[in-house]
Amino acid sequence: MTDRIAYTKPSITELEVAYATEAARTGWGARCYDYIFRFERAFASHLGTAHAIATSSCTGAMHLGLAGLGIGPGDEVILADTNWIASVAPVLHLGATPVLVDILEDSWCLDPAQVEAAITPRTKAILAVHLYGSMCDMDRLLDIGARHGVAVIEDAAEALGSEWRGRPAGSMGAFGTFSFHGTKTVTTGEGGMFVTSDRALFERVSILANHGRDPAEPRQFFPTVTGYKFKMGNVAAAIGCAQLERIDELVAGKRRILARYRDLLSGLEGVTLNAEPEGTVNGAWMPTAVFAPETGITRERLMVAFEQAGIDARVFFWPLSELPMFEARPENTRARDIAGRAINLPSYHDMDEAAQVRVAAVVKGLFKG
Ligand SMILES: *Cc1c(COP(=O)(O)O)cnc(C)c1O
């Protein structure tokens, strides 16, 4: 029996171990924020944003950002129907209304024409989620946002290392969010980051992130608004500092894996992998294969074949509108259709050639049979 091939796993070296150990030994009392501040500064500088706030998760960072924009009951937030629940849950928790639009065939990201058509006087934000490393069309979204006076925000959890015309994913909107969950390109176990270059928004979010305590408030333990507690711990931040020193290597590893899949599957008619159109870079967080309808290859067949081969593949995100807590959106035909004939392929950083060949062989086998 050959070893089971994992879907993702982090790349942890002696550097992460050394920083985490150092934080566990010394990062207390007066030094309990050292690695957190260092991680925030290093991340902002890497991305080219003015500010960054480390959080306990990307979901928490999104919640803070939406709250910082004042989004609440009666407001609408437009996002793609194809998304993980984490992007939309904070919208719901804040009492706002998600408006789910269809995706584009190639990038699997929200369709700008449908975004524009969905704008109403209640629209407060367009939530651009760069799916599986693919970039949303930021030129068109930023233009729509500017013309309608609506904030464009970026969930870049899957797009560390992705770029749009030389600008990093997460750095272009009113704010951006990132995840350092164990499956992501850079990990702290659990963790996230809020980034922005808008000073006023940064100050509002800083207060919200610190239980509503305003640094200008002279009284101790005197919150001036009801805030949140979504903070990252110092030991996690120490691991993040080490990962960030290795970010070029980590992203390059992911890109090498995606490129290798492109090679291995290039002879097959009707397989499309993650898009990387001219003027963009795909950080290649999650190699994903979509099969043309003519191939007859479905999610169900893929899951059975990978399971039998001892390979941990995952399904493409279900349309949110197919989940029980949302209203059905049968008009979002691409979101529904693509999910039924696609699969996420394993892509842990140190995946070797032989493992990728085994994955490709499963796909090739489906074409024969
Ligand atoms: C992973 C992910 C999240 C959630 O990140 P957490 O850190 O687990 O909250 C949010 N959005 C997208 C697009 C993700 O891929």
Side-chain angles (χ1 to χ4, degrees):
M1 181 66 197
T2 40
D3 287 345
R4 193 170 168 83
I5 295 180
Y7 164 67
T8 61
K9 53 188 167 187
S11 167
I12 300 298
T13 65
E14 287 307 315
L15 189 66
E16 284 81 0
V17 173
Y19 282 14
T21 305
E22 155 83 6
R25 259 200 203 106
T26 65
W28 310 104
R31 300 190 54 191
C32 72
Y33 297 115
D34 284 8
Y35 279 105
I36 298 170
F37 292 153
R38 179 168 153 189
F39 187 35
E40 289 174 340
R41 277 194 307 270
F43 197 85
S45 142
H46 173 77
L47 217 65
T49 57
H51 311 284
I53 300 173
T55 56
S56 52
S57 70
C58 178
T59 313
M62 181 58 65
H63 199 126
L64 290 171
L66 294 169
L69 290 179
I71 290 173
D75 297 333
E76 294 175 353
V77 176
I78 301 172
L79 74 160
D81 201 345
T82 299
N83 262 310
W84 176 227
I85 190 73
S87 301
V88 73
V91 175
L92 296 168
H93 288 310
L94 285 164
T97 305
V99 176
L100 304 175
V101 299
D102 208 358
I103 55 172
L104 294 170
E105 186 77 42
D106 49 359
S107 68
W108 317 321
C109 293
L110 77 187
D111 178 347
Q114 296 214 14
V115 169
E116 184 140 34
I119 295 213
T120 74
R122 287 193 297 276
T123 308
K124 273 286 179 65
I126 298 164
L127 172 44
V129 184
H130 307 298
L131 207 79
Y132 302 137
S134 285
M135 290 302 300
C136 298
D137 186 332
M138 290 306 290
D139 289 352
R140 288 186 64 192
L141 294 178
L142 290 168
D143 173 62
I144 294 167
R147 278 190 287 107
H148 293 272
V150 168
V152 177
I153 60 192
E154 296 177 86
D155 181 342
E158 305 183 1
L160 199 51
S162 298
E163 292 177 12
W164 176 263
R165 303 194 194 291
R167 301 172 73 189
S171 71
M172 290 166 275
F175 69 81
T177 61
F178 291 85
S179 173
F180 309 121
H181 179 255
T183 55
K184 297 296 184 349
T185 298
V186 159
T187 191
T188 58
E190 293 279 3
M193 194 70 82
F194 167 89
V195 299
T196 187
S197 291
D198 176 337
R199 183 167 183 91
L201 179 61
F202 166 70
E203 283 170 1
R204 281 198 303 280
V205 169
S206 298
I207 292 171
L208 287 173
N210 192 20
H211 265 322
R213 291 186 281 191
D214 188 334
E217 168 57 54
R219 286 165 288 189
Q220 274 188 345
F221 295 132
F222 200 90
T224 46
V225 292
T226 307
Y228 299 92
K229 185 66 194 297
F230 295 140
K231 289 191 183 191
M232 178 178 283
N234 201 47
V235 176
I239 296 173
C241 287
Q243 291 262 288
L244 209 51
E245 285 182 29
R246 298 177 53 226
I247 186 149
D248 292 343
E249 170 205 337
L250 293 172
V251 172
K254 283 289 198 173
R255 286 179 51 78
R256 178 182 46 74
I257 291 167
L258 177 58
R260 188 77 192 119
Y261 278 132
R262 273 196 219 289
D263 270 5
L264 288 166
L265 301 175
S266 62
L268 303 172
E269 196 74 31
V271 188
T272 309
L273 298 179
N274 313 52
E276 191 173 43
E278 181 111 16
T280 72
V281 174
N282 193 314
W285 170 61
M286 182 61 58
T288 298
V290 176
F291 297 85
E294 308 81 74
T295 63
I297 295 175
T298 61
R299 163 178 59 214
E300 288 69 28
R301 283 183 64 200
L302 287 157
M303 288 308 287
V304 169
F306 278 109
E307 188 50 43
Q308 282 172 353
I311 295 169
D312 190 8
R314 300 286 170 97
V315 302
F316 196 92
F317 294 132
W318 299 90
L320 293 169
S321 67
E322 288 188 358
L323 305 180
M325 48 294 198
F326 294 92
E327 258 174 58
R329 305 267 308 180
E331 65 275 31
N332 290 345
T333 51
R334 286 190 290 259
R336 297 166 72 91
D337 176 46
I338 293 172
R341 45 184 177 83
I343 195 90
N344 298 154
L345 304 173
S347 65
Y348 50 90
H349 297 86
D350 55 0
M351 189 170 190
D352 64 16
E353 171 94 21
Q356 285 201 259
V357 168
R358 252 177 78 195
V359 172
V362 174
V363 174
K364 289 176 185 167
L366 285 167
F367 274 84
K368 289 195 199 96

